[in-house]
Amino acid sequence: MANFTAADVKNLREQTGCGMMDCKKALTESNGDFEKALEFLREKGLAAAEKKASRIAAEGLVVSIVEGNVGVVLEVNAETDFVAKNETFVEFVNNVAKTIIKNNPASVEELTAMHCENTNMTVLEALNDRILVIGENIKIRRFTRLEGNLVPYVHGGGKIGVLVAFDTDCADKEEFNACAKDVAMQIAFSNPTYMSKDEVPAEVVEKERSIIKAQMDNDPKMANKPDKVKDGIINGRLGKVYEEICLLEQPFVKEEKVSVKQHIADVAKALGGKMELTTFVRLERGEGLEKREDNFADEVASMVK
């Protein structure tokens, strides 16, 4: 005779999110001991995680969260895009982000051994629980933690996360937050490689210069131009390259007649304070990862066999 009731199964299901039959089996195997049943399900979750670990996970969610003067941009991957809307998955990602903010881990490996905020588990145990409940491979891929005057931005329901940091004495002003949010939005859509042209490596500049020179050498209209004129044209075209790859040199998206750098300076002047963008982080979901390819016809055929 089982040493548990239907209410026990219900409680275990509510706490873990696992299926009713899985919870019933866990309580049966543990002879009604609730804590052992939890351990049983976690062990099963670990087995499920190992089984799913080889499956491609390039979807999921990127979050950007700030608490006080600490913030994090975090990417957690899953196999399918609709998981990003799953409440238990979103809750897990936010709990992991808060864990990073609180504990400042140096790596994903170090993070997984830490206590997961708002749970009674480690991050690894919470991860395995979500794998068990959701039924997909889930991976904590990467994160960046910053401190200072920070403003977060998330685009496309978790497709891109941005975090900007400013050296400013205007952090309490609405105009500062609006400006910082606009800059973060610009970073999201333009994906700049560098902050300013001063950060562009010399070898990159020389490569671009040689490409422009080669283009001019192959243009009959440029053949007889004086070297001084050619140099001026090269410098002008380099300026266009800087506008593409350097954030502060880019035309500000809401007022393209001024650069991002000038827009920040104008807002700072209007506020009578200092505003200097010191760093930014941009993470895009699945960037650089192999994408899962599903064949819907094959999937349907396999279901009706």
Side-chain angles (χ1 to χ4, degrees), residues 43-197:
E43 288 174 354
K44 184 178 179 182
L46 181 58
E50 290 173 349
K51 187 175 181 180
K52 293 178 174 67
S54 62
R55 287 166 28 178
I56 294 172
E59 300 296 340
L61 193 65
V62 178
V63 296
S64 182
I65 296 174
V66 173
E67 293 187 354
N69 68 335
V70 183
V72 64
V73 185
L74 164 70
E75 178 183 3
V76 180
N77 298 123
E79 295 178 47
T80 56
D81 55 1
F82 65 81
V83 168
K85 300 170 186 173
N86 182 297
E87 290 183 4
T88 61
F89 179 75
V90 174
E91 180 184 34
F92 167 71
V93 175
N94 285 328
N95 286 341
V96 173
K98 291 176 181 178
T99 302
I100 296 168
I101 287 174
K102 181 177 179 180
N103 296 286
N104 193 19
S107 64
V108 171
E109 182 180 9
E110 186 175 310
L111 168 66
T112 57
M114 293 176 170
H115 169 259
C116 187
E117 287 295 293
N118 300 318
T119 75
N120 59 355
M121 297 175 277
T122 66
V123 171
L124 180 59
E125 289 170 339
L127 172 65
N128 290 329
D129 273 355
R130 293 309 89 198
I131 292 173
L132 177 63
V133 171
I134 295 171
E136 290 193 8
N137 185 20
I138 298 172
K139 292 183 178 180
I140 301 171
R141 185 187 181 196
R142 53 183 176 166
F143 65 86
T144 299
R145 181 183 183 275
L146 298 177
E147 297 185 11
N149 295 307
L150 308 171
V151 175
Y153 174 71
V154 175
H155 176 76
K159 181 181 179 182
I160 299 172
V162 176
L163 191 60
V164 292
F166 280 80
D167 178 11
T168 181
D169 52 9
C170 306
D172 59 337
K173 303 288 196 308
E174 289 185 12
E175 294 86 349
F176 161 74
N177 281 282
C179 174
K181 185 76 72 176
D182 285 341
V183 171
M185 289 173 62
Q186 173 131 359
I187 293 166
F189 96 83
S190 67
N191 193 16
T193 307
Y194 306 99
M195 175 84 77
S196 69
K197 63 182 182 181

